[in-house]
Amino acid sequence: MLYQYQCACCNKVVTANDKECQHCGSHHIRSPYGFWIFCVFACLMVAITFKVGQIYLNNHQTDTPEQITLLNVLNQDSNKTDH
Ligand SMILES: [Zn+2]
């Protein structure tokens, strides 16, 4: 389970007070909080990226010459082939 302390060697569940694994004697006890901290940071990163993207789009929404020029180029090409 993700909310339990686990041995990093044998993956057996250990109690939070255990300094070493009861099964294999390993001192590598994995804390369950690392996963949640990672989740929180991942969510924050996604939120920040989304917000920055939104601001970027809002700033560039009024002037988007790329699509227009691309359409113009395509139209010019088709006109050339017609003639
Ligand atoms: Zn172990």
Coordinates of all heavy atoms in Angstrom, one line a residue:
M1 N 0.8 -1.2 0.0 CA 0.0 0.0 0.0 C 0.9 1.3 0.0 O 2.0 1.3 0.5 CB -0.9 0.0 1.2 CG -2.0 -1.0 1.1 SD -3.1 -0.7 -0.3 CE -4.4 -1.9 0.0
L2 N 0.4 2.3 -0.6 CA 1.2 3.5 -0.7 C 1.3 4.3 0.6 O 2.2 5.1 0.7 CB 0.5 4.4 -1.8 CG 0.6 3.8 -3.2 CD1 -0.3 4.6 -4.2 CD2 2.0 3.8 -3.7
Y3 N 0.4 4.2 1.5 CA 0.4 5.0 2.7 C 1.1 4.2 3.8 O 1.0 4.6 5.0 CB -1.0 5.4 3.1 CG -2.0 4.2 3.2 CD1 -2.1 3.4 4.3 CD2 -2.8 4.0 2.1 CE1 -3.0 2.4 4.4 CE2 -3.7 2.9 2.1 CZ -3.8 2.1 3.3 OH -4.7 1.1 3.3
Q4 N 1.8 3.1 3.5 CA 2.5 2.4 4.6 C 4.0 2.4 4.3 O 4.4 2.5 3.2 CB 2.0 0.9 4.6 CG 0.6 0.8 5.2 CD 0.1 -0.7 5.0 OE1 0.2 -1.3 3.9 NE2 -0.4 -1.2 6.1
Y5 N 4.7 2.3 5.4 CA 6.2 2.2 5.3 C 6.5 0.8 4.8 O 5.9 -0.2 5.2 CB 6.8 2.4 6.7 CG 6.9 3.8 7.1 CD1 5.8 4.5 7.7 CD2 8.1 4.5 7.0 CE1 5.9 5.8 8.0 CE2 8.2 5.8 7.4 CZ 7.1 6.5 7.9 OH 7.2 7.8 8.3
Q6 N 7.4 0.8 3.9 CA 7.8 -0.5 3.3 C 9.3 -0.7 3.3 O 10.0 0.3 3.2 CB 7.3 -0.6 1.8 CG 5.8 -1.0 1.8 CD 5.3 -1.1 0.3 OE1 5.6 -0.2 -0.4 NE2 4.7 -2.2 0.0
C7 N 9.7 -1.9 3.3 CA 11.1 -2.2 3.2 C 11.5 -2.1 1.7 O 10.8 -2.5 0.8 CB 11.4 -3.7 3.6 SG 13.1 -4.2 3.2
A8 N 12.6 -1.4 1.5 CA 13.1 -1.1 0.1 C 13.6 -2.4 -0.5 O 13.8 -2.5 -1.8 CB 14.1 0.0 0.0
C9 N 14.0 -3.4 0.3 CA 14.7 -4.6 -0.2 C 13.6 -5.7 -0.5 O 13.7 -6.2 -1.6 CB 15.7 -5.1 0.8 SG 17.1 -4.0 1.0
C10 N 12.8 -6.0 0.4 CA 11.8 -7.1 0.2 C 10.4 -6.6 0.0 O 9.5 -7.5 -0.1 CB 11.9 -8.1 1.4 SG 11.5 -7.4 3.0
N11 N 10.2 -5.3 0.1 CA 8.8 -4.8 -0.1 C 7.8 -5.2 0.9 O 6.6 -5.0 0.7 CB 8.3 -5.1 -1.5 CG 8.5 -4.0 -2.5 OD1 8.9 -2.9 -2.1 ND2 8.3 -4.3 -3.8
K12 N 8.3 -5.7 2.1 CA 7.4 -6.1 3.1 C 7.0 -4.8 3.9 O 7.8 -3.9 4.0 CB 8.0 -7.1 4.1 CG 8.2 -8.4 3.5 CD 7.1 -9.3 3.8 CE 7.0 -10.6 3.0 NZ 8.3 -11.3 2.7
V13 N 5.7 -4.8 4.4 CA 5.2 -3.7 5.1 C 5.8 -3.6 6.5 O 5.9 -4.7 7.2 CB 3.7 -3.7 5.2 CG1 3.2 -2.6 6.1 CG2 3.1 -3.6 3.8
V14 N 6.4 -2.5 6.9 CA 6.9 -2.4 8.3 C 6.2 -1.2 8.9 O 5.6 -0.3 8.3 CB 8.4 -2.1 8.2 CG1 9.2 -3.3 7.6 CG2 8.7 -0.8 7.4
T15 N 6.3 -1.2 10.3 CA 5.6 -0.1 11.0 C 6.5 1.1 11.0 O 7.7 1.1 10.7 CB 5.4 -0.5 12.5 OG1 6.7 -0.7 13.1 CG2 4.6 -1.8 12.6
A16 N 5.9 2.3 11.3 CA 6.6 3.6 11.2 C 7.7 3.6 12.2 O 8.7 4.4 12.0 CB 5.6 4.7 11.4
N17 N 7.6 2.9 13.3 CA 8.6 3.0 14.4 C 9.8 2.1 14.1 O 10.9 2.2 14.7 CB 8.0 2.5 15.7 CG 6.9 3.5 16.1 OD1 7.0 4.7 15.9 ND2 5.8 2.9 16.7
D18 N 9.7 1.2 13.1 CA 10.8 0.2 12.8 C 12.0 1.0 12.2 O 11.8 1.7 11.2 CB 10.3 -0.9 11.9 CG 9.5 -1.9 12.7 OD1 9.7 -2.0 13.9 OD2 8.7 -2.7 12.0
K19 N 13.1 0.7 12.7 CA 14.3 1.3 12.2 C 14.9 0.4 11.1 O 15.7 0.8 10.3 CB 15.4 1.6 13.2 CG 15.0 2.8 14.1 CD 15.3 4.1 13.4 CE 15.0 5.3 14.4 NZ 13.6 5.5 14.4
E20 N 14.6 -0.9 11.2 CA 15.0 -1.9 10.2 C 13.9 -2.9 9.9 O 13.0 -3.0 10.7 CB 16.3 -2.6 10.7 CG 16.0 -3.4 12.0 CD 17.3 -4.1 12.5 OE1 18.4 -3.5 12.3 OE2 17.2 -5.1 13.2
C21 N 14.1 -3.5 8.8 CA 13.0 -4.5 8.3 C 13.0 -5.7 9.2 O 14.1 -6.2 9.6 CB 13.3 -4.9 6.9 SG 12.2 -6.1 6.2
Q22 N 11.8 -6.1 9.6 CA 11.7 -7.3 10.4 C 12.0 -8.6 9.7 O 12.2 -9.6 10.3 CB 10.2 -7.4 11.0 CG 9.8 -6.2 11.8 CD 10.5 -6.2 13.2 OE1 10.6 -7.2 13.8 NE2 10.8 -5.0 13.6
H23 N 11.9 -8.5 8.4 CA 12.0 -9.8 7.5 C 13.4 -10.0 7.1 O 13.9 -11.1 7.1 CB 11.1 -9.7 6.3 CG 9.6 -9.4 6.8 ND1 8.8 -10.4 7.1 CD2 8.9 -8.3 6.9 CE1 7.6 -9.9 7.5 NE2 7.7 -8.6 7.3
C24 N 14.1 -8.9 6.6 CA 15.4 -9.1 6.0 C 16.5 -8.3 6.7 O 17.7 -8.4 6.4 CB 15.4 -8.8 4.5 SG 15.2 -7.1 4.2
G25 N 16.1 -7.5 7.7 CA 17.1 -6.7 8.5 C 17.6 -5.5 7.8 O 18.6 -4.9 8.2
S26 N 17.0 -5.2 6.7 CA 17.5 -4.0 5.9 C 17.1 -2.7 6.6 O 16.1 -2.6 7.2 CB 16.9 -4.0 4.5 OG 17.2 -2.8 3.8
H27 N 18.0 -1.7 6.5 CA 17.7 -0.4 7.1 C 17.1 0.5 6.1 O 16.8 1.7 6.4 CB 19.0 0.2 7.6 CG 19.5 -0.4 8.8 ND1 19.4 0.1 10.1 CD2 20.1 -1.6 9.0 CE1 19.9 -0.7 11.0 NE2 20.4 -1.8 10.4
H28 N 16.8 0.0 4.9 CA 16.2 0.9 3.8 C 14.7 0.8 4.0 O 14.1 -0.1 3.4 CB 16.6 0.4 2.4 CG 18.0 0.8 2.1 ND1 18.3 2.1 1.6 CD2 19.2 0.2 2.2 CE1 19.6 2.2 1.4 NE2 20.2 1.0 1.7
I29 N 14.1 1.7 4.8 CA 12.7 1.7 5.0 C 12.2 2.9 4.1 O 12.6 4.0 4.2 CB 12.3 2.0 6.4 CG1 13.0 0.9 7.3 CG2 10.8 2.0 6.6 CD1 12.6 -0.5 7.0
R30 N 11.3 2.5 3.2 CA 10.7 3.6 2.3 C 9.6 4.3 3.0 O 8.6 3.7 3.5 CB 10.3 2.9 1.0 CG 11.3 2.9 0.0 CD 10.7 2.6 -1.4 NE 9.8 1.5 -1.3 CZ 9.6 0.7 -2.3 NH1 10.2 0.9 -3.5 NH2 8.7 -0.3 -2.2
S31 N 9.7 5.6 3.0 CA 8.6 6.4 3.6 C 7.5 6.6 2.6 O 7.7 6.7 1.4 CB 9.2 7.8 4.0 OG 8.1 8.7 4.2
P32 N 6.2 6.5 3.1 CA 5.1 6.7 2.1 C 4.9 8.1 1.7 O 4.2 8.4 0.8 CB 3.9 6.2 2.9 CG 4.3 6.4 4.4 CD 5.8 6.3 4.4
Y33 N 5.6 9.1 2.4 CA 5.3 10.5 2.1 C 6.0 11.0 0.9 O 5.6 11.9 0.3 CB 5.7 11.3 3.3 CG 5.0 10.9 4.6 CD1 5.6 10.4 5.7 CD2 3.6 11.1 4.7 CE1 4.9 10.0 6.8 CE2 2.9 10.7 5.8 CZ 3.6 10.2 6.9 OH 2.9 9.8 8.0
G34 N 7.1 10.3 0.5 CA 7.8 10.7 -0.7 C 6.9 10.6 -1.9 O 7.0 11.5 -2.7
F35 N 6.1 9.6 -2.0 CA 5.2 9.5 -3.1 C 4.2 10.6 -3.1 O 3.9 11.2 -4.2 CB 4.5 8.1 -3.0 CG 3.4 7.9 -4.0 CD1 3.7 7.6 -5.3 CD2 2.1 8.1 -3.7 CE1 2.8 7.4 -6.2 CE2 1.1 7.9 -4.6 CZ 1.4 7.5 -5.9
W36 N 3.6 10.9 -2.0 CA 2.6 12.0 -1.9 C 3.2 13.4 -2.2 O 2.6 14.2 -2.9 CB 1.9 12.0 -0.6 CG 1.1 10.8 -0.4 CD1 1.3 9.8 0.5 CD2 0.0 10.4 -1.2 NE1 0.4 8.8 0.4 CE2 -0.4 9.1 -0.6 CE3 -0.7 10.9 -2.2 CZ2 -1.5 8.4 -1.2 CZ3 -1.8 10.2 -2.7 CH2 -2.2 9.0 -2.2
I37 N 4.5 13.6 -1.7 CA 5.1 14.9 -2.0 C 5.4 15.0 -3.5 O 5.2 16.0 -4.1 CB 6.5 14.9 -1.2 CG1 6.1 15.1 0.3 CG2 7.3 16.1 -1.7 CD1 7.3 14.9 1.2
F38 N 5.8 13.8 -4.1 CA 6.0 13.8 -5.6 C 4.7 14.1 -6.3 O 4.7 14.9 -7.3 CB 6.5 12.4 -6.0 CG 6.6 12.2 -7.5 CD1 7.6 12.8 -8.2 CD2 5.6 11.5 -8.1 CE1 7.7 12.6 -9.5 CE2 5.7 11.4 -9.5 CZ 6.8 11.9 -10.2
C39 N 3.6 13.6 -5.8 CA 2.3 13.8 -6.4 C 1.9 15.3 -6.4 O 1.5 15.9 -7.3 CB 1.2 13.0 -5.7 SG 1.1 11.3 -6.4
V40 N 2.1 15.9 -5.2 CA 1.8 17.3 -5.0 C 2.6 18.2 -5.9 O 2.1 19.1 -6.6 CB 2.0 17.7 -3.5 CG1 1.9 19.2 -3.3 CG2 0.9 17.0 -2.6
F41 N 3.9 17.9 -6.0 CA 4.8 18.7 -6.9 C 4.4 18.5 -8.3 O 4.4 19.4 -9.1 CB 6.2 18.3 -6.6 CG 6.9 19.1 -5.6 CD1 7.1 18.6 -4.3 CD2 7.3 20.4 -5.8 CE1 7.6 19.3 -3.3 CE2 7.9 21.1 -4.8 CZ 8.1 20.6 -3.6
A42 N 4.0 17.2 -8.7 CA 3.6 17.0 -10.1 C 2.4 17.8 -10.4 O 2.3 18.4 -11.5 CB 3.4 15.5 -10.3
C43 N 1.4 17.8 -9.5 CA 0.2 18.5 -9.7 C 0.5 20.0 -9.8 O -0.1 20.7 -10.7 CB -0.8 18.3 -8.5 SG -1.6 16.7 -8.6
L44 N 1.4 20.5 -9.0 CA 1.7 21.9 -9.0 C 2.4 22.3 -10.3 O 2.1 23.3 -11.0 CB 2.7 22.3 -7.9 CG 2.0 22.6 -6.5 CD1 3.1 22.7 -5.4 CD2 1.2 23.9 -6.6
M45 N 3.3 21.4 -10.8 CA 3.9 21.6 -12.1 C 2.9 21.7 -13.2 O 3.0 22.5 -14.1 CB 5.0 20.5 -12.3 CG 6.2 20.7 -11.5 SD 7.1 22.2 -11.7 CE 7.7 22.1 -13.4
V46 N 2.0 20.8 -13.2 CA 0.9 20.7 -14.3 C 0.1 22.0 -14.2 O -0.2 22.6 -15.2 CB 0.0 19.5 -14.1 CG1 -1.2 19.6 -15.0 CG2 0.8 18.2 -14.4
A47 N -0.3 22.4 -13.0 CA -1.1 23.6 -12.8 C -0.3 24.9 -13.3 O -0.9 25.7 -14.0 CB -1.5 23.8 -11.4
I48 N 1.0 25.0 -13.0 CA 1.8 26.1 -13.4 C 1.9 26.1 -14.9 O 1.8 27.1 -15.5 CB 3.1 26.1 -12.6 CG1 2.9 26.4 -11.2 CG2 4.1 27.1 -13.3 CD1 4.1 26.1 -10.3
T49 N 2.2 24.9 -15.4 CA 2.4 24.8 -16.9 C 1.1 25.2 -17.6 O 1.1 26.0 -18.6 CB 2.8 23.4 -17.3 OG1 3.9 23.0 -16.5 CG2 3.2 23.3 -18.8
F50 N 0.0 24.8 -17.1 CA -1.3 25.1 -17.7 C -1.6 26.6 -17.6 O -2.0 27.2 -18.6 CB -2.4 24.3 -16.9 CG -3.8 24.5 -17.5 CD1 -4.1 23.9 -18.7 CD2 -4.7 25.3 -16.9 CE1 -5.4 24.0 -19.2 CE2 -6.0 25.5 -17.4 CZ -6.3 24.9 -18.6
K51 N -1.3 27.2 -16.5 CA -1.5 28.6 -16.3 C -0.6 29.4 -17.2 O -1.1 30.4 -17.9 CB -1.2 29.0 -14.8 CG -1.9 30.2 -14.4 CD -3.4 30.0 -14.3 CE -4.1 31.4 -14.1 NZ -5.6 31.2 -14.3
V52 N 0.6 29.1 -17.3 CA 1.6 29.8 -18.2 C 1.1 29.7 -19.6 O 1.1 30.6 -20.4 CB 3.0 29.2 -18.0 CG1 3.9 29.7 -19.1 CG2 3.5 29.7 -16.6
G53 N 0.7 28.5 -20.0 CA 0.2 28.3 -21.4 C -1.0 29.1 -21.7 O -1.2 29.7 -22.7
Q54 N -1.9 29.2 -20.7 CA -3.1 30.0 -20.8 C -2.8 31.5 -21.0 O -3.3 32.1 -21.9 CB -4.0 29.8 -19.6 CG -5.5 29.7 -19.9 CD -6.3 29.4 -18.6 OE1 -5.8 29.7 -17.5 NE2 -7.4 28.8 -18.8
I55 N -1.8 32.0 -20.2 CA -1.4 33.4 -20.3 C -0.8 33.6 -21.6 O -1.0 34.6 -22.3 CB -0.5 33.7 -19.1 CG1 -1.2 33.7 -17.8 CG2 0.2 35.1 -19.4 CD1 -0.3 33.7 -16.6
Y56 N 0.1 32.7 -22.1 CA 0.8 32.8 -23.3 C -0.2 32.9 -24.5 O -0.1 33.7 -25.4 CB 1.7 31.6 -23.5 CG 2.5 31.6 -24.8 CD1 3.7 32.3 -24.8 CD2 2.1 30.9 -25.9 CE1 4.4 32.4 -26.0 CE2 2.8 31.0 -27.1 CZ 4.0 31.7 -27.1 OH 4.7 31.8 -28.3
L57 N -1.3 32.0 -24.4 CA -2.3 32.0 -25.5 C -3.1 33.3 -25.5 O -3.4 33.8 -26.5 CB -3.2 30.8 -25.3 CG -2.7 29.5 -25.7 CD1 -3.6 28.3 -25.4 CD2 -2.3 29.5 -27.2
N58 N -3.4 33.8 -24.3 CA -4.1 35.0 -24.2 C -3.3 36.2 -24.8 O -3.9 37.1 -25.4 CB -4.5 35.3 -22.7 CG -5.7 34.5 -22.3 OD1 -6.5 34.1 -23.1 ND2 -5.8 34.3 -21.0
N59 N -2.0 36.2 -24.5 CA -1.2 37.3 -25.1 C -1.1 37.2 -26.6 O -0.9 38.2 -27.2 CB 0.2 37.2 -24.4 CG 0.1 37.7 -23.0 OD1 -0.8 38.4 -22.6 ND2 1.1 37.3 -22.2
H60 N -1.1 36.0 -27.1 CA -0.9 35.9 -28.6 C -2.2 35.6 -29.3 O -2.1 35.1 -30.5 CB 0.1 34.7 -28.8 CG 1.5 35.1 -28.3 ND1 1.8 35.1 -27.0 CD2 2.6 35.5 -29.0 CE1 3.1 35.4 -26.9 NE2 3.6 35.7 -28.0
Q61 N -3.3 35.7 -28.7 CA -4.6 35.4 -29.3 C -4.9 36.5 -30.4 O -5.5 36.1 -31.4 CB -5.7 35.3 -28.3 CG -6.7 34.2 -28.6 CD -7.6 33.9 -27.4 OE1 -7.8 34.8 -26.6 NE2 -8.1 32.7 -27.3
T62 N -4.6 37.7 -30.1 CA -5.0 38.8 -31.0 C -4.2 38.8 -32.3 O -4.8 39.1 -33.4 CB -4.8 40.2 -30.3 OG1 -3.5 40.2 -29.7 CG2 -5.9 40.4 -29.2
D63 N -2.9 38.4 -32.2 CA -2.2 38.4 -33.4 C -1.6 37.0 -33.7 O -0.7 36.6 -33.1 CB -1.0 39.4 -33.3 CG -0.2 39.3 -32.1 OD1 -0.7 38.6 -31.1 OD2 0.9 39.8 -32.0
T64 N -2.3 36.3 -34.6 CA -1.8 35.0 -35.0 C -1.6 35.0 -36.5 O -2.5 34.5 -37.3 CB -2.8 33.9 -34.6 OG1 -4.1 34.3 -35.0 CG2 -2.8 33.7 -33.1
P65 N -0.5 35.6 -37.0 CA -0.3 35.7 -38.4 C 0.1 34.4 -39.1 O 0.1 34.3 -40.3 CB 0.8 36.7 -38.5 CG 1.6 36.6 -37.2 CD 0.6 36.1 -36.2
E66 N 0.5 33.4 -38.3 CA 1.0 32.2 -38.9 C 0.0 31.5 -39.7 O 0.2 31.1 -40.8 CB 1.5 31.2 -37.7 CG 2.8 31.7 -37.1 CD 2.6 32.6 -35.9 OE1 1.4 32.8 -35.6 OE2 3.5 33.1 -35.3
Q67 N -1.2 31.3 -39.1 CA -2.3 30.6 -39.8 C -2.7 31.3 -41.1 O -2.9 30.7 -42.1 CB -3.5 30.4 -38.9 CG -3.3 29.3 -37.9 CD -4.6 29.0 -37.2 OE1 -5.4 29.9 -37.0 NE2 -4.9 27.8 -36.8
I68 N -2.8 32.6 -41.0 CA -3.2 33.4 -42.1 C -2.2 33.4 -43.3 O -2.5 33.1 -44.4 CB -3.5 34.9 -41.7 CG1 -4.6 34.9 -40.7 CG2 -3.8 35.8 -42.9 CD1 -4.6 36.2 -39.8
T69 N -0.9 33.5 -42.9 CA 0.1 33.5 -43.9 C 0.2 32.1 -44.5 O 0.4 32.0 -45.7 CB 1.5 33.8 -43.3 OG1 1.6 33.1 -42.1 CG2 1.6 35.3 -43.0
L70 N 0.0 31.1 -43.7 CA 0.0 29.7 -44.3 C -1.1 29.5 -45.3 O -0.9 29.0 -46.4 CB -0.1 28.7 -43.1 CG 0.0 27.2 -43.5 CD1 1.4 26.9 -44.0 CD2 -0.4 26.3 -42.3
L71 N -2.3 30.0 -44.9 CA -3.5 29.9 -45.8 C -3.2 30.7 -47.1 O -3.5 30.3 -48.2 CB -4.7 30.4 -45.1 CG -5.4 29.4 -44.2 CD1 -6.5 30.1 -43.4 CD2 -5.9 28.2 -44.9
N72 N -2.6 31.9 -46.9 CA -2.3 32.7 -48.1 C -1.3 32.0 -49.0 O -1.5 32.0 -50.2 CB -1.7 34.1 -47.6 CG -2.8 35.0 -47.1 OD1 -4.0 34.8 -47.3 ND2 -2.4 36.0 -46.3
V73 N -0.3 31.4 -48.4 CA 0.7 30.7 -49.2 C 0.1 29.6 -50.0 O 0.3 29.4 -51.2 CB 1.8 30.2 -48.3 CG1 2.7 29.2 -49.0 CG2 2.7 31.4 -47.8
L74 N -0.8 28.8 -49.3 CA -1.5 27.7 -49.9 C -2.4 28.2 -51.1 O -2.4 27.6 -52.1 CB -2.3 26.9 -48.9 CG -1.5 26.1 -47.9 CD1 -2.4 25.5 -46.8 CD2 -0.9 24.9 -48.7
N75 N -3.1 29.3 -50.8 CA -3.9 29.8 -51.9 C -3.1 30.3 -53.1 O -3.5 30.1 -54.2 CB -4.8 31.0 -51.3 CG -5.9 30.5 -50.4 OD1 -6.4 29.4 -50.6 ND2 -6.3 31.4 -49.5
Q76 N -2.0 30.9 -52.8 CA -1.1 31.4 -53.8 C -0.6 30.2 -54.7 O -0.6 30.3 -55.9 CB 0.0 32.2 -53.3 CG -0.4 33.6 -52.9 CD 0.8 34.4 -52.2 OE1 1.8 33.8 -51.9 NE2 0.5 35.6 -51.8
D77 N -0.3 29.2 -54.0 CA 0.2 28.0 -54.7 C -0.8 27.4 -55.6 O -0.6 27.0 -56.7 CB 0.7 26.9 -53.6 CG 2.1 27.3 -53.1 OD1 2.7 28.2 -53.6 OD2 2.5 26.6 -52.1
S78 N -2.1 27.3 -55.1 CA -3.1 26.7 -55.9 C -3.5 27.6 -57.1 O -3.8 27.1 -58.1 CB -4.4 26.5 -55.0 OG -4.8 27.8 -54.5
N79 N -3.4 28.9 -56.9 CA -3.6 29.9 -58.0 C -2.5 29.7 -59.1 O -2.8 29.7 -60.2 CB -3.5 31.3 -57.5 CG -4.8 31.7 -56.7 OD1 -5.8 31.0 -56.9 ND2 -4.8 32.7 -55.9
K80 N -1.3 29.4 -58.6 CA -0.2 29.3 -59.6 C -0.4 28.0 -60.4 O -0.2 28.0 -61.6 CB 1.1 29.2 -58.8 CG 1.7 30.5 -58.5 CD 3.0 30.4 -57.6 CE 3.4 31.7 -57.1 NZ 4.5 31.6 -56.1
T81 N -0.8 27.0 -59.7 CA -1.0 25.7 -60.4 C -2.2 25.8 -61.4 O -2.2 25.2 -62.4 CB -1.3 24.5 -59.5 OG1 -2.3 25.0 -58.5 CG2 0.0 24.2 -58.7
D82 N -3.2 26.7 -61.1 CA -4.4 26.8 -61.9 C -3.9 27.5 -63.2 O -4.4 27.2 -64.3 CB -5.4 27.7 -61.2 CG -6.2 26.8 -60.2 OD1 -6.1 25.6 -60.3 OD2 -6.9 27.4 -59.3
H83 N -3.0 28.5 -63.1 CA -2.7 29.3 -64.3 C -1.7 28.6 -65.2 O -0.8 28.0 -64.9 CB -2.0 30.6 -63.9 CG -3.1 31.5 -63.3 ND1 -4.1 32.0 -64.1 CD2 -3.3 32.0 -62.1 CE1 -4.9 32.8 -63.3 NE2 -4.4 32.8 -62.1
Ligands
ZN1 ZN 13.1 -6.3 4.0

